[in-house]
Amino acid sequence: MKYIPEPFKIKMVEPIKVTSREERAEILARAHYNMFGLPAESVYIDLLTDSGTGAMSDAQWAAMMRGDEAYSGGRSYVHLMDVAGEIIGYDYLQPVHQGRAAEKVLIPLLVSRRGQIVVANTFFDTTRAHVGLAGARPVDNVCQEGLDSAKAAPFKGNMDIPGLEKLISKHGDNVAAIFMTVTNNSVGGQPVSLKNMRETYELAHENGIPVCLDAARYAENAWFIHEREDGCQERSLRDIAREMFSYGDMFVMSAKKDGIVNMGGMVGVRDDGELIAKVKSNVISFEGYLTYGGLSGRDLEALAVGLEEGLDPDWQRYRVGQIQYLGDKLQQAGVPFQNPVGGHAVFIDAGRLLPHLKWNQYPGHALATQLYLEAGIRSCDIGSYLMDRDSVTHEEQQAPFEFTRLAVPRRVYTQSHMDLIAEALADIAHAPEKVPGFRITWEPPVLRHFTSRLEPIG
Ligand code: F0G
């Protein structure tokens, strides 16, 4: 259990405040027990997401001052294209304001008729929603190992290749596209191997199906490949990333993760003039002119620098090491989680920690609520509460897991914060039966977990 020291020092601080348990009980009730409804000021350690919550470097802040705010053809756009082009190497790259903007631009262009399916190693919730909005059915198809939280394996985010073969032979040309999420957020930030990406790509191409990478955490994925995949130990992260991108025809990216910016995204395509023209048209309608794509020039500069920093091996060793340290502490305390830990988060297996709760009493959400109540730590459910209802039958859907995700922002928290998180969870694990389940009292039609209202049962 070694904590890898920070490869940076702190130049600016933001005070955080400890509230009392009584205050937190009131705050929770006022927020209708929705973690997104909590005022951030009332949170001591915020593990709600690693998205857009990282600390920028001095180099990024300096670059922002050079932001060129020209409407068209700005210098900052050229800078971003140069950097991203070297890493990714596609024919066309386009900045957009965040990941779901890329999804909104690209996914409707992939679905040509009703009744099609789109397969993924597991969709993130916004990607899943956009597939549904485009009129297709999202189908998750992760490898078996990914579904067993207790069993450690190096690449639990992989696509299930035999499963994909079956889906293709059953649905034929009704498979509109294949998505590869790297790292695989919804199954625990688990990595995908180069071998699996290559096999998926080859199988897709034999059948004329396009592959789209969801590359939000591509740099963490490259680090895991560097550490775990045969023959990759001597390769640079940049070289590995380049090969990863070669196993896609297109990609969407939320740059708020491994791009280490507070806002930003990208979409890119290879080799298809027709698709590029359609992407451009959607971007101009939804995001803005092509050379800014919904971002200001200073954002484009920060992203250009952040993309480089995200591939620094010293950074990734520390980044993934910090999460592994937290996982080791939890293991020592007997708290079950998706093992091994992911690149951006520890996914506590709340289903196993709270066996007295049924899936539709949302164990992942229940644990998140308790963790806030006990220690002011905010996390979130990645389980049946997060799952939207079936888009056709409107039935509740049971997720394969009931996770509580502890997502760690980049360059924000230190070892003592990790220790405090582990202690708080160890305390809850001593008397798990005290944690109540939840019911939903109001919910919107899609992406319900952001805004629904809940109450504790009993
Ligand atoms: N794809 C993946 C794998 C993601 O994790 C996210 C966002 C998105 C797409 C959408 O990107 O937020 O920039 O629109 N994930 C965040 C999270 C919100 O907390 O995991 P976005």
Side-chain angles (χ1 to χ4, degrees):
M1 197 195 299
K2 205 170 105 221
Y3 188 86
I4 294 171
E6 278 76 14
F8 50 81
K9 57 184 178 175
I10 297 166
K11 191 178 288 197
M12 188 189 283
V13 295
E14 181 181 348
I16 47 178
K17 180 174 87 178
V18 188
T19 47
S20 69
R21 195 180 193 281
E22 292 68 39
E23 283 171 322
R24 290 194 292 271
E26 251 178 56
I27 292 165
L28 271 172
R30 267 206 305 275
H32 301 279
Y33 299 92
N34 187 316
M35 290 295 132
F36 293 87
L38 299 177
E41 253 188 351
S42 70
V43 174
Y44 181 60
I45 301 178
D46 204 343
L47 307 179
L48 185 66
T49 179
D50 64 318
S51 180
T53 52
M56 290 211 299
S57 66
D58 55 353
Q60 285 178 294
W61 283 109
M64 284 184 82
M65 298 303 288
R66 295 194 299 268
D68 178 353
E69 304 303 341
Y71 189 94
S72 146
R75 193 178 57 233
S76 302
Y77 167 77
V78 175
H79 182 197
L80 175 62
M81 290 300 103
D82 285 348
V83 171
E86 277 227 354
I87 295 170
I88 298 164
Y90 280 18
D91 298 305
Y92 185 69
L93 297 172
Q94 174 63 56
V96 291
H97 86 273
Q98 64 180 97
R100 69 201 70 182
E103 295 158 13
K104 183 181 178 193
V105 161
L106 187 66
I107 292 176
L109 303 176
L110 305 177
V111 178
S112 54
R113 54 182 181 276
R114 293 246 150 215
Q116 288 190 309
I117 65 166
V118 179
V119 185
N121 57 336
T122 301
F123 287 100
F124 179 66
D125 57 347
T126 57
T127 322
R128 185 187 309 284
H130 276 290
V131 168
L133 288 168
R137 186 162 60 88
V139 178
D140 289 331
N141 179 57
V142 71
C143 65
Q144 284 308 308
E145 290 158 338
L147 296 170
D148 180 355
S149 75
K151 186 177 161 213
F155 291 106
K156 289 172 87 167
N158 278 353
M159 180 77 77
D160 178 11
I161 301 286
L164 184 60
E165 278 167 350
K166 277 190 206 133
L167 283 164
I168 294 173
S169 64
K170 182 171 170 204
H171 294 273
D173 64 0
N174 269 336
V175 183
I178 293 169
F179 268 67
M180 196 56 137
T181 315
V182 290
T183 58
N184 196 336
N185 185 0
S186 307
V187 301
Q190 298 293 316
V192 180
S193 69
L194 280 176
K195 177 170 181 283
N196 187 259
M197 292 183 78
R198 189 183 315 120
E199 286 172 2
T200 300
Y201 188 67
E202 283 168 1
L203 182 57
H205 273 232
E206 280 160 26
N207 291 279
I209 304 166
V211 175
C212 181
L213 306 182
D214 179 348
R217 298 180 182 83
Y218 78 100
E220 287 167 5
N221 200 80
W223 174 257
F224 281 119
I225 289 171
H226 175 270
E227 290 291 282
R228 296 178 184 174
E229 189 155 356
D230 285 347
C232 293
Q233 284 65 49
E234 302 302 320
R235 295 178 64 183
S236 69
L237 299 188
R238 190 176 276 273
D239 181 40
I240 294 170
R242 186 68 176 230
E243 186 175 340
M244 285 166 51
F245 279 105
S246 78
Y247 301 132
D249 301 295
M250 56 196 81
F251 76 93
V252 288
M253 181 195 287
S254 167
K256 299 167 71 173
K257 285 81 168 171
D258 281 348
I260 330 184
V261 287
N262 303 118
M263 191 54 69
M266 279 198 302
V267 50
V269 298
R270 287 208 286 174
D271 287 329
D272 184 338
E274 215 178 299
L275 186 58
I276 292 173
K278 289 179 184 163
V279 165
K280 286 182 178 174
S281 167
N282 276 357
V283 167
I284 292 176
S285 305
F286 300 141
E287 289 289 283
Y289 185 64
L290 304 175
T291 62
Y292 71 88
L295 295 170
S296 46
R298 53 183 174 269
D299 294 331
L300 300 173
E301 286 288 348
L303 177 53
V305 177
L307 284 174
E308 301 266 16
E309 292 179 353
L311 286 172
D312 175 355
D314 289 341
W315 154 244
Q316 284 298 341
R317 180 178 301 110
Y318 158 78
R319 163 71 176 158
V320 174
Q322 187 183 46
I323 317 269
Q324 277 164 349
Y325 173 85
L326 176 58
D328 289 349
K329 288 229 137 186
L330 292 173
Q331 191 145 34
Q332 219 174 36
V335 177
F337 56 86
Q338 172 66 301
N339 188 23
V341 296
H344 69 297
V346 181
F347 286 60
I348 311 289
D349 192 334
R352 272 166 62 208
L353 184 65
L354 309 175
H356 61 290
L357 299 184
K358 294 204 269 293
W359 67 270
N360 55 4
Q361 297 175 331
Y362 316 128
H365 177 75
L367 181 61
T369 308
Q370 197 72 12
L371 189 57
Y372 177 73
L373 181 66
E374 300 295 347
I377 297 165
R378 174 156 71 169
S379 55
C380 72
D381 173 280
I382 303 276
S384 298
Y385 168 54
L386 172 82
M387 277 304 251
D388 274 327
R389 288 170 185 271
D390 185 284
S391 54
V392 179
T393 65
H394 300 288
E395 290 290 316
E396 283 234 49
Q397 309 189 84
Q398 182 175 4
F401 292 109
E402 304 302 337
F403 285 140
T404 304
R405 185 182 74 168
L406 313 176
V408 182
R410 291 168 183 76
R411 310 192 282 211
V412 171
Y413 294 115
T414 62
Q415 181 173 11
S416 47
H417 292 116
M418 297 302 123
D419 290 341
L420 194 134
I421 298 161
E423 282 160 26
L425 277 158
D427 284 348
I428 295 173
H430 278 137
E433 68 286 349
K434 284 194 195 149
V435 178
F438 278 80
R439 77 167 70 88
I440 294 177
T441 57
W442 177 85
E443 67 186 281
V446 283
L447 294 173
R448 70 179 184 182
H449 74 126
F450 289 118
T451 54
S452 45
R453 297 177 170 189
L454 303 100
E455 64 184 15
I457 298 168

